[in-house]
Amino acid sequence: MNSPTNTQAEATDATQTREGIEHEVALDPSWSATAMLLTDNTKRAFGITIHELERGRAVLSMRVRDDMANGFGITHGGMVFTLADTAFAYACNEADTAVVASGVDVTFTRASHAGDTLTATAERRWLSGRNGLYDVTVADQEGQVVAEFRGRSLATNRPIPIPSDAPTDDSTAAEAGA
């Protein structure tokens, strides 16, 4: 596993916990996904947790709240999309520049409801130059597939934004108060 710290590879069991791994991942200026961890307001607002993170792969989960259900009592498609898109973002931000989506396709395969826990697994399929292709599967707590998402990425020439108070050594984001 490509990891931002030497200790993360040794903490495989910890990456599987419900609490997530954000507190274990230190800022790595050569890996833009680690900078996203420090300032990702969408992830926080939706209660999204990162369970696994490596270059080209990410596993995130989100418990569906009542306010995430649509008028039919099922999870709003935009909420499922947001989880998949967030997993895609962490998987495709593999290098030292900001990577953005150039397009996505999503197929919803079954309904989920408030109280369900959805897990999105994003994996790189192809990367060449500035372009990449990533597949994301979103499943419920029973392992039933809720959506399939395919994202196309474009690496920009913009450096990753690093907050001025971000730790850049072996200290973790948790130690820095993030």
Side-chain angles (χ1 to χ4, degrees), residues 38-54:
L38 301 173
T39 57
D40 189 347
N41 294 323
T42 300
K43 182 178 73 61
R44 278 191 284 279
F46 285 89
I48 296 172
T49 302
I50 299 175
H51 298 283
E52 297 179 36
L53 180 61
E54 57 188 89

Side-chain angles (χ1 to χ4, degrees), residues 104-160:
V104 302
D105 297 297
V106 64
T107 300
F108 300 105
T109 59
R110 69 181 297 121
S112 62
H113 303 86
D116 286 344
T117 298
L118 303 180
T119 300
T121 302
E123 296 180 314
R124 177 187 350 103
R125 296 293 177 225
W126 171 79
L127 185 63
S128 180
R130 295 177 44 184
N131 299 292
L133 186 65
Y134 297 78
D135 286 336
V136 184
T137 298
V138 179
D140 65 15
Q141 66 277 0
E142 304 298 324
Q144 298 293 315
V145 175
V146 172
E148 291 287 350
F149 174 110
R150 174 159 274 191
R152 295 173 299 282
S153 67
L154 176 67
T156 70
N157 59 3
R158 296 187 316 255
I160 59 174

Side-chain angles (χ1 to χ4, degrees), residues 55-104:
R55 294 174 197 257
R57 185 172 192 282
V59 179
L60 286 66
S61 70
M62 175 182 76
R63 184 164 178 87
V64 179
R65 302 183 312 241
D66 289 338
D67 65 342
M68 296 174 167
N70 67 19
F72 298 115
I74 61 176
T75 308
H76 191 286
M79 303 301 135
V80 177
F81 182 93
T82 297
L83 175 62
D85 188 48
T86 304
F88 166 50
Y90 279 97
C92 75
N93 272 279
E94 303 185 51
D96 62 353
T97 60
V99 177
V100 297
S102 62
V104 302

